[in-house]
Amino acid sequence: MEGNYYKEPLELKDFGSHCSLSEMDDFDLTRALEKPRQLKIERKRSFDERSMSELSTGYARHDSVLDMAHTPGSRSIVDTPLSYARNSFEPHPMVAEAWEALRRSMVFFRGQPVGTIAAYDHASEEVLNYDQVFVRDFVPSALAFLMNGEPDIVKNFLLKTLQLQGWEKRVDRFKLGEGVMPASFKVLHDPIRKTDTIVADFGESAIGRVAPVDSGFWWIILLRAYTKSTGDLTLSETPECQKGMRLILSLCLSEGFDTFPTLLCADGCSMVDRRMGVYGYPIEIQALFFMALRSALSMLKPDDEGREFIERIVKRLHALSFHMRNYFWLDFQQLNDIYRYKTEEYSHTAVNKFNVMPDSIPDWVFDFMPHRGGYFVGNVSPARMDFRWFSLGNCVSILSSLATPDQSMAIMDLLEHRWEELVGEMPLKICYPCIEGHEWRIVTGCDPKNTRWSYHNGGSWPVLLWTLTAACIKTGRPQIARRAIDLIESRLHRDCWPEYYDGKQGRYVGKQARKFQTWSIAGYLVAKMMLEDPSHIGMISLEEDKQMKPVIKRSASWTC
Ligand code: GLC
């Protein structure tokens, strides 16, 4: 029945209160794979939906615990992490601190929580826009709240940003597309009049006037996560949410002069929101685009207005996955093929379709590429392949199943092989390698914030831990995530939750990093909760197709 769902209570005693985490992982996954349960959210139209949620119902939450979570005021900061109560693990002391810090970052609009600010850093002289609720930054906060059985703030956020989407948006005299979602918003409290108002930024105030292309995609992905986690279909089925999705989709499914199914973007359009040479077809956006399309497909109603979008999405997904899996994929064999490419080939028979010059392959990539392993490169367009490795795009490719199961395994293999370079002392590099010298001058426009191994230029971002952990769980390699979490736990709290770290190994707190950066805090909590209860991954992961059995292969890294 719509809006109603059945949850099978979790038999806590089955686990035994003393079994180790790895035993429990083994037990959970085996059980989940053997006994797919009735799905809590039945949907007729979706093409993804099944497997991960079936997997998740294998360890569905205990109803009484969940009920408790919905009782207003029933929880204090100390007892916040429900998962610990459930599983009787000794929580790491950082967890309670993290919840406290996350709650401190909550933003209220007329008494209702609507988001979390980017950073709660009183020591920093320059606030800039770190006191705002960023759409992309709120995602890990939202997941933490959902995993902890607190969906209200997520629902309020989704509705508030949907309202903002309806605003008329301009940069100078130029009117922006109707579907554009804000990069961030701020709540202004007037203590005298006792009123709250909102100001939003769609790029018209942002440094460099950059376009938040990822915001709309994250919004759709979050709407699905909310729906998956709560079983509440009433939100995504409202005419307002349906329209919001269609408006976002109209922006990226419109016909133009494109010869590729990937989405053409300017620099600064996503997490890397400054000039960093990611213009063109950046992997982060393509992976989020793919995931948002699949998420929307599972939520759009096939009514008069929705049907056309569903058809367009299906066609686009087909073309997009083909393009990405073939042309963005790089492994040892593919690198060798590109190295031997002929150029200037004309016609359909061309092997080197984009006319990539082998001389443009950077030296580092020959050493970096292991025999086993691979990744989606940063960008592909005519005569231009950006060989840099970007972590978010690759992790989202795994989560969305843009990567085939083999490719997902290869991405994890590469990560293990290149642990020193990609993880070092602080998970996780935003991209690898950095650019320096003349190249840095040309590519970044001499950006002093993006110097080598800093910030977006090869800096290490703790927030990326949650995407890494989710990818590890999906590929059946939680041990990799555990190693990364151990590194985080040795420093993050001591360093006051910085936004990013600098250096080749990620050893130094970032030059201009904010402290108490909310997504560093929330990312840690999400990673911890997912590892403890892998069923959470269902809200942020999509299986390849509904026929496909969940691919959870054991690898050498599974056992500890
Ligand atoms: C920086 C980051 C961006 C983030 C914002 C708020 O601008 O580059 O990704 O959303 O800070 O934390």
Side-chain angles (χ1 to χ4, degrees), residues 118-119 129-130 132 134-137 183 214 270-274 430 449 455-456 461 499 517 519:
N129 47 1
Y130 282 87
Q132 304 208 7
F134 277 74
V135 172
R136 73 176 72 88
D137 291 44
D214 62 338
S270 60
M271 176 182 180
V272 179
D273 57 358
R274 303 164 78 89
I430 192 168
K449 206 168 172 184
Y455 202 44
H456 300 140
W461 290 66
E499 181 187 14
Q517 181 79 18
W519 67 0

Side-chain angles (χ1 to χ4, degrees), residues 384-539:
R384 177 173 176 245
M385 248 177 125
D386 179 349
F387 289 87
R388 279 176 296 173
W389 171 91
F390 286 85
S391 58
L392 186 54
N394 275 282
C395 288
V396 173
S397 299
I398 293 177
L399 294 178
S400 62
S401 291
L402 170 60
T404 64
D406 283 349
Q407 287 174 334
S408 297
M409 288 299 167
I411 293 170
M412 299 311 292
D413 286 340
L414 180 100
L415 201 99
E416 273 191 311
H417 268 92
R418 293 286 168 230
W419 187 262
E420 281 301 300
E421 290 88 341
L422 305 180
V423 181
E425 292 188 22
M426 180 51 66
L428 180 68
K429 286 252 163 43
I430 192 168
C431 67
Y432 180 88
C434 69
I435 44 181
E436 44 193 327
H438 182 62
E439 196 185 6
W440 165 80
R441 251 172 254 125
I442 302 294
V443 172
T444 71
C446 303
D447 187 344
K449 206 168 172 184
N450 274 331
T451 48
R452 63 183 187 153
W453 305 118
S454 182
Y455 202 44
H456 300 140
N457 188 9
S460 302
W461 290 66
V463 59
L464 297 170
L465 178 72
W466 82 261
T467 53
L468 171 69
T469 303
C472 289
I473 293 172
K474 183 154 182 201
T475 50
R477 294 156 90 155
Q479 193 52 30
I480 299 182
R482 269 185 218 125
R483 269 177 84 185
I485 290 178
D486 284 348
L487 287 170
I488 288 254
E489 285 180 339
S490 70
R491 287 205 58 183
L492 206 60
H493 178 236
R494 208 182 66 204
D495 294 339
C496 301
W497 313 95
E499 181 187 14
Y500 63 95
Y501 285 77
D502 284 359
K504 216 168 179 172
Q505 298 286 312
R507 288 175 87 174
Y508 300 95
V509 174
K511 216 179 347 184
Q512 294 188 38
R514 291 295 184 287
K515 300 286 180 72
F516 296 98
Q517 181 79 18
T518 305
W519 67 0
S520 300
I521 297 162
Y524 166 69
L525 287 172
V526 171
K528 288 290 272 189
M529 286 191 280
M530 273 192 301
L531 209 51
E532 262 183 25
D533 181 354
S535 69
H536 286 314
I537 200 188
M539 65 174 100

